[in-house]
Amino acid sequence: MREALREARRAEEEGEVPVGAVIVLGDQVIARGRNQRELLHDPTAHAEMIALTAAAEHLQNWRLSGARMFVTLEPCAMCAGALVLARVQEVIWATPDPRAGAVESVFRIWEEPRLNHRVLSRKGVLEDECRGLLKSFFRRRRAED
């Protein structure tokens, strides 16, 4: 999770919402991602999506079976769905997203019985640190407006 947090801090330095993700296969980091919506002018450029694309490229395979993602914020509906489609084994996420979280906060996408893949989930790793980074970012953003 520390590597994902490092990516989140890089996103913040670039003026992005500070969310970071890494994908691990075995004990090796195979992909990294951070929010890049502003930079790429792309509403889908979430940290998870960037990391999924990089991991698929690295493996030359869209199936990421056995891979684990560490992400600093609970995935949204788009990202949760993409993680299912990519066959990611487990997602470890730091802090809930009460406005758009799709693991447990707003939706429970991974509990949908009709989906063909189950993503394991753990939450709360470095939660205080990741939540603090997001809160301070938005506090500064509101003060600038």
Side-chain angles (χ1 to χ4, degrees):
M1 188 62 76
R2 293 228 177 267
E3 290 296 315
L5 188 54
R6 195 166 292 133
E7 289 297 320
R9 288 188 176 114
R10 287 184 64 197
E12 181 180 37
E13 290 168 6
E14 296 168 351
E16 301 280 353
V17 174
V19 178
V22 296
I23 297 180
V24 175
L25 190 59
D27 59 359
Q28 178 186 3
V29 174
I30 62 167
R32 298 170 183 277
R34 62 185 176 281
N35 274 2
Q36 294 183 316
R37 293 186 305 171
E38 302 298 332
L39 175 71
L40 300 177
H41 310 290
D42 180 354
T44 69
H46 290 198
E48 299 96 323
M49 301 298 283
I50 301 290
L52 284 170
T53 299
E57 172 91 14
H58 175 81
L59 296 175
Q60 292 293 290
N61 191 340
W62 62 267
R63 291 176 191 89
L64 304 180
S65 303
R68 295 178 300 145
M69 176 181 280
F70 293 81
V71 62
T72 59
L73 182 65
E74 177 184 5
C76 70
M78 172 183 67
C79 295
L83 287 155
V84 169
L85 294 174
R87 314 289 198 275
V88 170
Q89 178 180 329
E90 182 178 24
V91 175
I92 300 92
W93 51 280
T95 191
D97 183 348
R99 295 187 178 180
V103 178
E104 69 177 32
S105 294
V106 177
F107 304 107
R108 293 179 174 268
I109 289 175
W110 295 340
E111 294 177 16
E112 171 53 53
R114 292 171 289 187
L115 292 175
N116 65 339
H117 176 73
R118 299 285 158 252
V119 178
L120 301 173
S121 176
R122 278 190 288 154
K123 67 177 183 176
V125 177
L126 295 181
E127 181 175 356
D128 293 340
E129 202 168 340
C130 293
R131 184 180 339 105
L133 180 63
L134 284 159
K135 283 187 173 208
S136 67
F137 174 83
F138 285 113
R139 192 176 312 116
R140 279 192 314 278
R141 171 90 40 103
R142 282 189 299 275
E144 292 169 2
D145 289 342

